[in-house]
Amino acid sequence: MKVFPILVLLVLLSIWTANAGPASPTNLLVEYMPSPFLGLDTPTPRFTWTLQHSDRGQTQTAYQILVSKSSSVSVGDVWDSGKVPSSQSTFVPYGGSKALESDTTYYWKVSWWDNKGEASTASSPARFDTAFLSSSDWKAKWIGGYNMLRKEFSVSGDVTRARVYICGVGYYQLFINGAKVGDSQLDPGWTAYPKRSLYVTYDVTSQIKQGANAIGVLLGNGWYGQGWGKPETLLFQLNYVTSSGSQVTIVSDDTWKGDSSPVTYDSVYNGETYDARLEQPGWDSPNFNDGRWSTAKVTSSPGGIISSQKFPPIKIAETRKATKITQPQSGVYVFDFGQNWSGWCGLSVKGQNGTKVQLRHAEFLNHNGNGMIDTSNLRSAKATDVYILKGNSAGEYYTPRFTYHGFRFAELTGYPGTPTADDLVSIHLYSSVKKTGSISFSYGELNQIQHNVQYGQQSNLMSVPTDCDQRDERLGWMGDAQLSAAEALHNFDMGSFYTNFLQLIRDDQGTDGSVTDVVPFVRYGSRPADPAWGAAYPMIVWELYLVNGDVGIVREHYGGVKAWIDLLTSKIDSSGFANFYCYYGDWVPPPPAPRCSCHFTAAFYYLLGLSQLSDMAKVIGNNADATKYSSLYASGVPKFNQAFYSNGKYDIGVQTTNVLPLYLGITPNMTLTVNNLLNSIAAQGTHFDTGIIGTKYIMLVLSDIGRTDVALKMATSVTYPSWAYEFNQGLEADATTLWELWDSPREGPGMNSRNHIMFGSVSHWFYRNLAGITQAPSSAGFSNSVIAPPDANILLNSVLTSVQGSITTQYGVLSSSWTRSGGSQCSEARQYSTLKLSCGPNGGSISKIEFASFGSPLGDCESGYLLDDTCHSPSSRYVVESACLGKEECEIEVHPAIFGPPGPECSSPVRRLHVKALCSAAASFQLDVTIPVNTKSEVHVNKLTYTNVVVTEGSTTVWSNGKYVPGAPGITDAVERNNEIVISAGSGSYKFSVSGTQQFLSEEFKTTAGNSLHVNCPTGLSFSHIKMASYGTEDPADPIECRFTGSSKHVVETLCLGKSSCSILAADSQFDSLCTSKELKKLLRVQYYCS
């Protein structure tokens, strides 16, 4: 008998058994915050956990929560929920009969049962600490008069638990026994100080020792001094427990001592001056001689409520060295860190006592080429830090404490010696929300846009969502906040951050229901807010519900949102839609495009707010209000159209005025409005004429009407105005964040930030329409997700060959990753980068180069590229063929030295290489999907141009012969819908691929204007996909509105899809052409698939 193989088998079986079934829950959260969570001041917190299971298609059928004061949580001595039959694994409210106590540590764990009735083991214990649940818990007094405060005290016995509760406004830094407490910066988060201040909780058990102890606090002006002009003040309370059970409290009062700190000047806008000669070593340690210090003064409070800071603090996130150091003038050194962001510099220096080193910060260099930084767009903000050396022979290191800057470049003067890249580094800080979204593309320009959105968003999360990070503003503009909310929630864990911001909105809300343009309300803006800016209140509430499934936030703010919408109703009833009050409208469209009426955008947001409020009422079960506001919306639609729609167009007929009614679905003639939109886009050369509002909605609307191809062309355009233009313009350093203006380098300095997030809404479209991650209309929190990659136009005929996207929902990671292999492959890259060309994992090798041009070629992958003879390198095809033919993939360095000059008449500042190749294998498609446990998904697999479609998951067929084939675990059904196979799937990871018989592809048909084009499919087939349709002239010298008619494809699809033959009249009236010339020769060109 062979014992050893049997033992191995038993061991493997035991390992498999241990990993099978429901796993212990992970990622335990309390009110969005991970363990250990310090500072809970909510008496009924909500619990969330993530589930994992070895099987597909799993849901939770029951859970059990234990809450205890014991770290082992062997029993639920505070709360044992028992086995609760429920699928709810997010936002489960505390249900214990014992009320939670202030200043107490609690531990909790959870277990769950799957849909087979099998139980998991319990999770590892998680911890949360309550702060002060009642204002009476505060024993401390507000003190001030000095920006450096200290207190010594003595401890008898070993300390078993110690918590600090501190509010230092504007900002503070806390030290105990000579060491800084915590790694947060610029605490606490700023508020409307007459209404509310925030305190922070620290676990300092390890820092309090038996015997003598000392507390030190530095205070800075922060926003309390900047916006409200008040002196710094402190509220401090230390509660500790000794091993003997003694409970002791140390509070801020007139027993504290105060003095002036080495921070001799600090301003959020202007910077900080630090005189190291004024340091007092040991001031924050025990036994320091503070005999010359003064008694701290008991002062009045800032006013209002003091509540716990329950969102991620500002922290240092990243450090970079300079990519380039120049010396444009004697003694002046300019550091280019290669990335624009929010933060400060870290300075290493050695020199004589009294040496003054100065740092100035900027986003760009002077355009005159002198190499000096340009600070003109900072307006009055000086953004200058000064460090005065104490003369330490070992060297000194300095970072600011109570300011921050927005910068890519730093100017260093007064430095003793010649600085190196090690002597000055750039440090990025922002509210430390976790990055929860990830998306990447085969096309590099989209990756750079996503990069710019990410860093732009991070830079403008500074305890509130700000507009910019560099000039004398940096405020919580509500317009910027509402436009970026969906994007931010897909990229970051924004739940607790937005919960705090919504509280600030409500703090500033007037008794009449009015909200303000800026929150906290200081320096700028109006009350009541422009309706498009005030839309942030309902928008953020609703987006938090949609993305996170947070019903509690809807309940909490329903009354406030309702009061705001009721105020707008009263105003619009008085003024009418056409004269509805407004201030800003579709802010900053690209010159020379006109801005549409702000009455139009205000009225749009009123209708949108009514719709959102009605939906909120349904969510919380208020059916009467749901009916009321739905009726108001229904009655408002004809009033909106009467006010703004005439002669077949809205307002002045720009893209925004077409897009917004299409988004709401309220146009009297949808086909006409769609044609107007597409023609408007074509008239701009497939570019934007939108400001911040229209830009958010135009991408979503284009995809919703089936024109993701147009949206993608706009997103990938490298010419003005576009996102990619910002890092392809050649006028200043490539943008690494988003600009405030479409053409910032050509505009004046007054309002011209290079780090604004208000155009960042495109990132939401990336996830929604390129990765295809969305959810069913009745779903919230992605409990019923929809994975729907773009249509065949994108999958087969675009520069995109792959997209990988994922978001971390409250249930876990939801991902969609698609790849096209074989067939035609397009790729583009700019000068001095690398072009990558690949046939994909199943696409064979590169068999033909159909087009290659280094210069400034025209056209696109779908319609075909065209040479720009004035800007084309003749060696382009040869270089690409030499590098790529016969290979599965290749890389080409895009450099003039390789391709040669692109022609003497080429004036393009940024040249590009465009390539279209043919692979030896036919086009194929793979879609990889991950669906979290306790959720389900509808997965859309495109049929591409195949008939007799077969869809497989792994090696298992799920669709064949026109019907669903059961058998794949986790998959319950599949149906054919339009050009897709829609698969119903439960939790788990899946790999779908599609194959079949290639559809019939027609030749290209054309006819001249005034004639009808008759096209047919072979017997038994019908039109399934219009590959190309174009109505216009072919001469590049003709006006752009004559060369392109944006509605061409839409018109042909409307006339032909689903039919076996159709007739199309080639006429201006048919295609709503904007071309006024009657002499130019126009053609209608069509190519199509039949199946």
Side-chain angles (χ1 to χ4, degrees):
M1 180 177 181
K2 295 184 178 180
V3 177
F4 180 72
I6 294 175
L7 289 175
V8 171
L9 181 62
L10 290 173
V11 170
L12 292 174
L13 181 62
S14 66
I15 293 173
W16 178 85
T17 304
N19 293 330
S24 300
T26 60
N27 193 33
L28 275 61
L29 307 175
V30 177
E31 292 297 335
Y32 288 112
M33 299 295 285
S35 174
F37 172 28
L38 304 178
L40 176 72
D41 62 353
T42 303
T44 309
R46 300 172 300 165
F47 302 92
T48 296
W49 54 91
T50 300
L51 305 176
Q52 297 176 358
H53 203 289
S54 59
D55 296 341
R56 290 176 173 176
Q58 286 297 317
T59 57
Q60 175 186 287
T61 57
Y63 67 82
Q64 182 178 18
I65 297 175
L66 302 179
V67 180
S68 174
K69 292 184 180 180
S70 169
S71 60
S72 64
V73 201
S74 55
V75 295
D77 55 303
V78 176
W79 179 39
D80 182 345
S81 70
K83 183 178 179 181
V84 179
S86 171
S87 63
Q88 187 176 0
S89 60
T90 64
F91 306 111
V92 175
Y94 174 77
S97 58
K98 297 179 181 179
L100 298 180
E101 302 169 16
S102 293
D103 188 28
T104 303
T105 299
Y106 293 96
Y107 302 89
W108 71 288
K109 60 172 64 171
V110 60
S111 53
W112 68 291
W113 285 259
D114 65 13
N115 54 17
K116 298 178 182 177
E118 295 181 9
S120 74
T121 56
S123 66
S124 299
R127 173 184 142 199
F128 66 92
D129 278 28
T130 53
F132 293 156
L133 300 175
S134 170
S135 59
S136 63
D137 294 321
W138 280 104
K139 310 303 179 187
K141 297 178 180 178
W142 289 94
I143 61 173
Y146 305 92
N147 64 358
M148 188 160 67
L149 297 160
R150 72 183 308 272
K151 166 77 175 181
E152 290 196 30
F153 63 99
S154 182
V155 173
S156 299
D158 294 329
V159 173
T160 58
R161 185 181 188 274
R163 300 292 184 270
V164 162
Y165 305 95
I166 179 172
C167 177
V169 292
Y171 294 137
Y172 71 85
Q173 284 192 339
L174 171 64
F175 303 83
I176 293 180
N177 295 330
K180 183 177 182 293
V181 177
D183 59 354
S184 59
Q185 310 291 335
L186 303 179
D187 262 343
W190 64 294
T191 60
Y193 292 106
K195 306 284 183 67
R196 182 181 304 273
S197 297
L198 300 177
Y199 67 90
V200 180
T201 305
Y202 295 100
D203 181 350
V204 295
T205 305
S206 63
Q207 291 176 265
I208 306 297
K209 61 184 181 180
Q210 186 173 352
N213 292 265
I215 302 162
V217 179
L218 293 177
L219 293 176
N221 287 306
W223 286 99
Y224 188 59
Q226 182 67 55
W228 281 265
K230 301 290 183 68
E232 309 101 324
T233 185
L234 171 69
L235 187 70
F236 175 96
Q237 186 161 323
L238 164 64
N239 293 347
Y240 69 87
V241 181
T242 65
S243 55
S244 65
S246 298
Q247 300 183 25
V248 183
T249 298
I250 305 295
V251 300
S252 51
D253 57 19
D254 57 8
T255 65
W256 286 52
K257 293 290 192 72
D259 201 0
S260 297
S261 82
V263 181
T264 61
Y265 176 83
D266 67 280
S267 162
V268 172
Y269 294 145
N270 296 330
E272 179 180 293
T273 298
Y274 186 94
D275 190 343
R277 299 171 299 177
L278 301 180
E279 291 178 348
Q280 300 182 49
W283 75 277
D284 52 0
S285 298
N287 304 313
F288 172 75
N289 182 4
D290 60 7
R292 70 173 186 80
W293 286 42
S294 303
T295 300
K297 300 175 182 178
V298 175
T299 64
S300 59
S301 76
I305 298 168
I306 178 168
S307 59
S308 179
Q309 180 168 297
K310 301 185 293 295
F311 58 92
I314 296 170
K315 290 186 177 183
I316 292 173
E318 189 178 344
T319 299
R320 292 193 182 206
K321 293 183 180 181
T323 58
K324 185 178 182 181
I325 304 173
T326 59
Q327 188 179 5
Q329 294 180 8
S330 176
V332 178
Y333 299 93
V334 173
F335 287 65
D336 178 359
F337 296 106
Q339 176 63 54
N340 194 4
W341 62 23
S342 56
W344 51 49
C345 287
L347 172 69
S348 298
V349 62
K350 185 188 297 185
Q352 297 296 315
N353 178 289
T355 301
K356 181 186 291 186
V357 180
Q358 177 175 282
L359 283 166
R360 295 198 305 145
H361 304 78
E363 296 186 291
F364 54 94
L365 301 178
N366 284 334
H367 290 181
N368 62 15
N370 67 3
M372 298 291 286
I373 63 171
D374 188 333
T375 61
S376 58
N377 72 324
L378 306 185
R379 301 191 301 209
S380 66
K382 293 183 173 60
T384 301
D385 297 327
V386 175
Y387 180 73
I388 303 173
L389 278 68
K390 58 189 173 186
N392 190 326
S393 60
E396 303 171 41
Y397 181 75
Y398 166 73
T399 60
R401 290 159 175 78
F402 302 129
T403 188
Y404 75 96
H405 313 289
F407 67 103
R408 171 175 173 168
F409 299 90
E411 176 196 89
L412 176 64
T413 56
Y415 191 86
T418 302
T420 69
D422 293 323
D423 295 323
L424 191 70
V425 295
S426 179
I427 300 172
H428 182 29
L429 59 151
Y430 64 95
S431 292
S432 52
V433 294
K434 184 179 179 182
K435 186 181 178 185
T436 53
S438 174
I439 191 163
S440 61
F441 308 93
S442 58
Y443 184 63
E445 308 301 84
L446 295 182
N447 290 325
Q448 186 64 47
I449 294 171
Q450 175 65 14
H451 171 100
N452 291 7
V453 171
Q454 178 189 329
Y455 276 94
Q457 184 64 80
Q458 289 172 183
S459 299
N460 284 290
L461 297 177
M462 300 297 286
S463 83
V464 300
T466 58
D467 62 326
C468 62
D469 66 345
Q470 74 295 103
R471 68 175 179 235
D472 57 352
E473 200 162 344
R474 313 185 206 179
L475 301 177
W477 279 99
M478 297 267 275
D480 305 60
Q482 66 98 346
L483 291 166
S484 62
E487 164 270 309
L489 281 161
H490 280 70
N491 283 306
F492 300 96
D493 180 4
M494 298 292 292
S496 59
F497 184 95
Y498 276 149
T499 297
N500 176 72
F501 187 60
L502 288 170
Q503 180 62 66
L504 300 183
I505 294 174
R506 194 164 64 179
D507 285 347
D508 272 329
Q509 188 169 24
T511 56
D512 62 349
S514 61
V515 298
T516 53
D517 283 328
V518 171
V519 172
F521 189 37
V522 62
R523 287 177 60 84
Y524 289 91
S526 300
R527 179 194 297 278
D530 183 301
W533 269 238
Y537 197 9
M539 183 74 71
I540 295 175
V541 171
W542 190 239
E543 289 292 348
L544 268 177
Y545 168 72
L546 288 179
V547 175
N548 289 343
D550 191 345
V551 178
I553 206 76
V554 177
R555 290 196 181 99
E556 181 178 354
H557 289 278
Y558 181 78
V561 172
K562 178 180 177 180
W564 167 241
I565 297 300
D566 284 347
L567 175 67
L568 295 184
T569 300
S570 68
K571 288 186 172 295
I572 207 165
D573 284 348
S574 174
S575 66
F577 277 69
N579 296 302
F580 191 32
Y581 88 98
C582 56
Y583 318 132
Y584 314 117
D586 192 25
W587 195 245
V588 293
R595 192 188 332 175
C596 65
S597 163
C598 71
H599 305 298
F600 176 85
T601 54
F604 162 80
Y605 275 106
Y606 170 64
L607 289 180
L608 181 60
L610 286 173
S611 176
Q612 291 170 332
L613 183 58
S614 176
D615 288 340
M616 290 181 204
K618 293 174 188 174
V619 166
I620 64 174
N622 189 335
N623 295 329
D625 272 7
T627 301
K628 172 185 175 181
Y629 291 102
S630 177
S631 297
L632 277 173
Y633 176 87
S635 64
V637 167
K639 296 175 183 177
F640 179 93
N641 286 333
Q642 183 178 9
F644 301 110
Y645 186 79
S646 64
N647 298 321
K649 70 176 184 179
Y650 282 95
D651 194 51
I652 59 174
V654 292
Q655 292 169 15
T656 295
T657 59
N658 289 307
V659 161
L660 299 188
L662 285 171
Y663 181 79
L664 293 177
I666 61 173
T667 60
N669 186 332
M670 180 175 177
T671 299
L672 179 58
T673 305
V674 166
N675 290 347
N676 288 343
L677 171 62
L678 295 173
N679 285 336
S680 175
I681 293 170
Q684 300 297 327
T686 319
H687 287 82
F688 299 93
D689 68 11
T690 53
I692 56 177
I693 293 171
T695 301
K696 172 180 178 177
Y697 294 102
I698 193 170
M699 307 299 282
L700 305 178
V701 165
L702 283 170
S703 288
D704 288 347
I705 63 174
R707 297 315 307 268
T708 299
D709 58 325
V710 175
L712 182 61
K713 290 174 187 176
M714 298 172 78
T716 55
S717 171
V718 298
T719 53
Y720 173 80
S722 68
W723 291 287
Y725 167 76
E726 298 175 11
F727 46 87
N728 277 287
Q729 30 75 36
L731 300 175
E732 62 184 44
D734 290 349
T736 58
T737 48
L738 298 181
W739 292 345
E740 180 177 18
L741 306 176
W742 284 113
D743 194 14
S744 281
R746 299 185 185 277
E747 299 295 327
M751 188 193 74
N752 202 346
S753 157
R754 302 306 198 275
N755 195 347
H756 246 69
I757 193 56
M758 60 191 186
F759 280 112
S761 53
V762 64
S763 180
H764 173 220
W765 177 77
F766 286 165
Y767 287 101
R768 178 184 185 261
N769 293 106
L770 295 187
I773 300 174
T774 182
Q775 58 185 325
S778 60
S779 171
F782 294 91
S783 59
N784 294 337
S785 63
V786 175
I787 302 296
D791 60 28
N793 273 339
I794 305 301
L795 299 179
L796 293 175
N797 302 308
S798 77
V799 291
L800 277 182
T801 58
S802 66
V803 176
Q804 295 82 39
S806 69
I807 60 172
T808 302
T809 72
Q810 296 297 301
Y811 297 99
V813 174
L814 173 66
S815 69
S816 167
S817 174
W818 62 262
T819 302
R820 166 168 51 96
S821 299
S824 292
Q825 299 280 338
C826 294
S827 188
E828 303 174 9
R830 57 181 166 145
Q831 184 171 280
Y832 305 122
S833 66
T834 299
L835 181 138
K836 297 180 180 181
L837 192 63
S838 172
C839 286
N842 305 303
S845 60
I846 300 168
S847 59
K848 181 181 179 182
I849 302 301
E850 296 186 324
F851 180 87
S853 176
F854 172 66
S856 58
L858 308 173
D860 55 66
C861 186
E862 179 186 0
S863 302
Y865 293 113
L866 299 173
L867 288 179
D868 178 357
D869 292 329
T870 66
C871 199
H872 166 69
S873 172
S875 65
S876 299
R877 182 183 293 273
Y878 171 77
V879 171
V880 175
E881 287 178 340
S882 299
C884 299
L885 282 181
K887 299 179 181 179
E888 294 180 359
E889 60 182 17
C890 60
E891 293 188 358
I892 306 167
E893 187 177 354
V894 186
H895 197 286
I898 296 175
F899 285 89
E905 299 178 17
C906 182
S907 60
S908 175
V910 179
R911 295 156 192 167
R912 304 179 63 79
L913 173 62
H914 290 210
V915 176
K916 186 171 185 177
L918 185 65
C919 298
S920 59
S924 62
F925 174 74
Q926 180 171 309
L927 172 63
D928 297 350
V929 174
T930 299
I931 304 165
V933 176
N934 216 24
T935 73
K936 58 185 179 181
S937 187
E938 187 179 90
V939 182
H940 294 232
V941 178
N942 199 284
K943 293 165 54 180
L944 304 179
T945 57
Y946 291 123
T947 58
N948 304 317
V949 169
V950 175
V951 177
T952 57
E953 192 289 304
S955 59
T956 304
T957 298
V958 297
W959 181 271
S960 182
N961 297 320
K963 62 182 180 180
Y964 166 56
V965 180
I971 295 175
T972 57
D973 195 14
V975 297
E976 186 170 0
R977 190 184 304 160
N978 299 323
N979 197 48
E980 298 173 323
I981 307 301
V982 180
I983 299 167
S984 299
S987 64
S989 295
Y990 301 85
K991 289 182 177 295
F992 296 102
S993 59
V994 61
S995 60
T997 304
Q998 189 70 38
Q999 291 182 17
F1000 170 81
L1001 174 63
S1002 76
E1003 61 180 284
E1004 181 182 308
F1005 294 98
K1006 64 176 66 175
T1007 190
T1008 55
N1011 297 312
S1012 289
L1013 182 64
H1014 303 279
V1015 288
N1016 302 277
C1017 284
T1019 303
L1021 302 182
S1022 59
F1023 297 104
S1024 58
H1025 174 64
I1026 306 301
K1027 180 179 180 183
M1028 184 274 296
S1030 174
Y1031 177 75
T1033 70
E1034 294 185 313
D1035 189 339
D1038 290 341
I1040 193 166
E1041 63 270 19
C1042 297
R1043 287 186 283 133
F1044 301 100
T1045 302
S1047 63
S1048 300
K1049 197 169 188 180
H1050 176 73
V1051 170
V1052 175
E1053 287 174 340
T1054 302
L1055 292 172
C1056 300
L1057 285 184
K1059 300 177 182 178
S1060 59
S1061 64
C1062 66
S1063 180
I1064 311 153
L1065 176 63
D1068 290 357
S1069 58
Q1070 175 80 285
F1071 291 92
D1072 299 311
S1073 174
L1074 301 177
C1075 181
T1076 57
S1077 173
K1078 302 301 181 184
E1079 292 77 24
L1080 295 178
K1081 182 181 178 181
K1082 299 169 191 169
L1083 294 175
L1084 172 61
R1085 300 162 52 226
V1086 175
Q1087 189 177 22
Y1088 53 88
Y1089 284 98
C1090 298
S1091 65

